[in-house]
Amino acid sequence: MIPIGIKLALNRYCQDNSGYCLKDKVVIVTGAGAGIGASTAYAFAKEGAKVVVADIIEDNVKKVTKRCEEELCAKSLGVHCDVSVDEQCKSLISDTVSKFGTIDVLVNNAGILTFGTLLNADIMEPYDKTLGINLRACVYLTMLATPYLVQTKGNVVNISSILGCTYSGNSKYMPYCISKAGLDHFMFGAALELSPCGVRVNNVCPGPVKTEIFSKAGVTGSWKEIGESFKLTDMSEPEEIADLIVYLASYKARSITGVRYYIDRGHLLMG
Ligand code: NAD
């Protein structure tokens, strides 16, 4: 039992029972129409945050926004946005600020998986496309959000990957791996630059997660088979990744910045 005096003192800093302090915080999640992003938007809404659901697929934006509003009575905003288009990124930020007044958390989650090799001379197109979405858009959106994050002492969570620091023995992942390695380095630089302003920046680096990213990239097979190709008996669920993202964005993680968080069921340990 916490004595009432101490409880009141704690409440001066944190206004909710969970200790996450995300109630009424304005959270943008890119790629929130499906997979990890959809679970993340829902998890923030569950904590009472005002969620901005941004995705390139408009129907999915509507579905996720509706779910947050109907199941959780959340305040939400759906934005149809291709993060690789600068004008649409600008609109995402301005629509958010028009509707909710500020930005507390930016989750750079939108991403694609592509393959390309040097010997087949087919790397440049997937390289340009993947870097545009998985890396450049994160840098650009973070830059646009920075003035608001400085005001709110907010934070950024980028969704990187274990493939930012390993290849899983398959060089065809090169464009994707380069984008995630770049995202990790962007995080270190941004955390260093923004920490004197009270803004935190961290990366979540999942191993294989059960989402449509694989089928969209042309990877076929059951979850068991895909997991086994990564030497795993099972793969993570998107909700597990969302829980870590919410934790890192919350008051509970107020001392954490400039860190990569691996969440991979031991994949990296296995080499
Ligand atoms: P997903 O395909 O289920 O979801 C990605 C979402 O991003 C989709 O809703 C898609 O429409 C959206 N999106 C794609 N391009 C976009 C663009 N240009 N603008 C706006 N939205 C766009 O995949 P996921 O697995 O949920 O991926 C989410 C993030 O997690 C990605 O950054 C991915 O690299 C990362 N990740 C995934 C895994 C995995 O195994 N699933 C592992 C490590 C990291």
Side-chain angles (χ1 to χ4, degrees), residues 175-246:
Y176 185 80
C177 294
I178 295 167
S179 73
K180 296 301 186 182
L183 190 56
D184 287 351
H185 270 274
F186 168 61
M187 177 274 291
F188 293 131
L192 189 61
E193 182 183 344
L194 298 179
S195 78
C197 308
V199 176
R200 302 184 295 110
V201 188
N202 292 292
N203 279 12
V204 166
C205 306
V209 186
K210 292 176 190 169
T211 74
E212 288 169 12
I213 200 167
F214 293 101
S215 56
K216 288 175 194 165
V219 177
T220 51
S222 63
W223 290 132
K224 193 169 178 295
E225 285 161 345
I226 295 172
E228 279 167 2
S229 73
F230 287 93
K231 301 182 201 140
L232 290 173
T233 49
D234 200 6
M235 295 166 62
S236 302
E237 301 290 341
E239 291 77 12
E240 298 173 53
I241 316 304
D243 284 344
L244 178 56
I245 296 167
V246 167

Side-chain angles (χ1 to χ4, degrees), residues 51-196:
V51 280
V52 181
V53 174
D55 202 281
I56 196 170
I57 301 178
E58 197 165 14
D59 276 356
N60 287 349
V61 169
K62 286 183 189 149
K63 267 185 219 155
V64 174
T65 312
K66 193 167 172 230
R67 185 175 175 227
C68 291
E69 284 169 0
E70 288 184 354
E71 290 180 20
L72 303 167
C73 296
K75 290 173 191 145
S76 66
L77 169 69
V79 181
H80 178 217
C81 169
D82 178 346
V83 295
S84 66
V85 179
D86 285 1
E87 285 309 311
Q88 296 189 24
C89 289
K90 282 187 197 160
S91 300
L92 170 59
I93 299 296
S94 63
D95 289 356
T96 301
V97 175
S98 300
K99 167 104 178 175
F100 292 129
T102 193
I103 302 166
D104 294 282
V105 177
L106 170 65
V107 181
N108 283 313
N109 166 77
I112 56 166
L113 172 64
T114 58
F115 304 118
T117 64
L118 301 170
L119 288 170
N120 290 336
D122 61 358
I123 193 169
M124 291 322 293
E125 195 188 326
Y127 176 88
D128 287 338
K129 190 166 182 205
T130 308
L131 272 279
I133 296 169
N134 293 11
L135 179 57
R136 188 184 184 283
C138 304
V139 178
Y140 189 57
L141 275 170
T142 304
M143 187 188 82
L144 295 176
T146 288
Y148 303 100
L149 296 173
V150 168
Q151 274 172 10
T152 57
K153 306 249 178 290
N155 68 85
V156 180
V157 182
N158 301 303
I159 314 312
S160 181
S161 168
I162 53 164
L163 293 178
C165 71
T166 184
Y167 265 91
S168 278
N170 198 334
S171 62
K172 76 175 182 179
Y173 284 98
M174 221 184 314
Y176 185 80
C177 294
I178 295 167
S179 73
K180 296 301 186 182
L183 190 56
D184 287 351
H185 270 274
F186 168 61
M187 177 274 291
F188 293 131
L192 189 61
E193 182 183 344
L194 298 179
S195 78

